Amino acid sequence: MAQALNKEILKVSQLLQLTGLTIPAYQRPYKWTGRNINQLFQDFQVHKNQSAYRLGTLVFHRDKDDEESLNIVDGQQRTLTLVLAVYAIIQERWDDLERQDLSDQLELLEEPLDEFMESQKFDSEISQRNLHQNYLEVKRLVRRHEFTEHHIDFLLNRCEVVPFPLNDISEAFQF
């Protein structure tokens, strides 16, 4: 985990393999809606031929009492949406993929995604509703024939985030 965060940039596939990703209780509810999901998928379509596409930054706080956890201070909405998208691809498209490299990547991601989602607590009804609605929307989008293996490859291997792991919680919030 720590080694992966020493890199300046993470591909989505690398981000989703990090162990210890946690959404702390102090985070606001997950508020992205179908409009945000559709905008993200439009971005995938517009930028799919670029060598890389930056999705933004993620700020993590490493808890000194639990060095294995990476608390997401900033970037929760994006991270959860990426989890939903890749999970939907696994559920809806994995069996039909022609590219073995993509199938292998999804196999590597399945367990970390399951572990991440099982370890989170979504007490907010807003989060629960939006996660459910957005997952249904993402499933619909990844099932479309216009969403090709090229798009899946783009999402996993050319969409990137810039991680900022910080040890001081107040510094993480200020950042």
Side-chain angles (χ1 to χ4, degrees):
M1 171 192 58
Q3 183 179 0
L5 284 181
N6 288 335
K7 297 177 184 174
E8 292 180 18
I9 299 168
L10 291 176
K11 297 175 186 176
V12 167
S13 62
Q14 294 169 313
L15 168 69
L16 298 180
Q17 288 182 62
L18 292 176
T19 57
L21 279 180
T22 304
I23 300 169
Y26 57 73
Q27 276 288 11
R28 66 187 175 111
Y30 175 71
K31 291 193 173 181
W32 272 26
T33 64
R35 187 175 60 95
N36 302 100
I37 300 299
N38 282 289
Q39 180 61 54
L40 180 64
F41 274 74
Q42 286 173 12
D43 288 349
F44 294 160
Q45 178 62 30
V46 169
H47 300 286
K48 72 179 189 263
N49 293 320
Q50 293 181 336
S51 61
Y53 180 62
R54 276 299 143 72
L55 295 172
T57 60
L58 299 176
V59 178
F60 300 110
H61 169 249
R62 278 203 179 100
D63 190 340
K64 65 181 177 192
D65 296 327
D66 181 8
E67 294 198 16
E68 285 302 309
S69 73
L70 276 175
N71 293 317
I72 301 170
V73 175
D74 185 49
Q76 171 208 185
Q77 309 290 317
R78 225 175 338 211
T79 303
L80 281 171
T81 302
L82 293 170
V83 167
L84 293 177
V86 175
Y87 193 75
I89 291 167
I90 289 170
Q91 296 300 310
E92 300 296 321
R93 300 290 299 276
W94 189 7
D95 292 337
D96 301 325
L97 291 176
E98 292 180 15
R99 287 183 49 185
Q100 187 62 44
D101 62 321
L102 293 178
S103 182
D104 293 345
Q105 273 192 296
L106 293 174
E107 184 174 3
L108 287 173
L109 290 169
E110 186 177 31
E111 186 176 333
L113 289 177
D114 285 342
E115 288 175 5
F116 171 75
M117 289 306 285
E118 288 172 12
S119 68
Q120 307 310 308
K121 292 187 173 104
F122 300 106
D123 294 331
S124 162
E125 288 182 26
I126 294 168
S127 292
Q128 293 171 11
R129 183 181 62 246
N130 287 337
L131 285 165
H132 177 73
Q133 291 299 317
N134 288 349
Y135 181 65
L136 294 176
E137 180 63 10
V138 168
K139 277 178 44 173
R140 184 187 73 76
L141 292 169
V142 302
R143 281 193 305 248
R144 292 179 21 219
H145 73 83
E146 297 90 17
F147 191 78
T148 66
E149 291 186 15
H150 181 74
H151 291 93
I152 296 170
D153 180 53
F154 175 75
L155 170 59
L156 295 175
N157 300 306
R158 290 186 282 146
C159 287
E160 304 170 336
V161 296
V162 181
F164 289 95
L166 302 168
N167 294 323
D168 183 301
I169 188 73
S170 61
E171 186 178 278
F173 279 112
Q174 288 174 3
F175 190 86

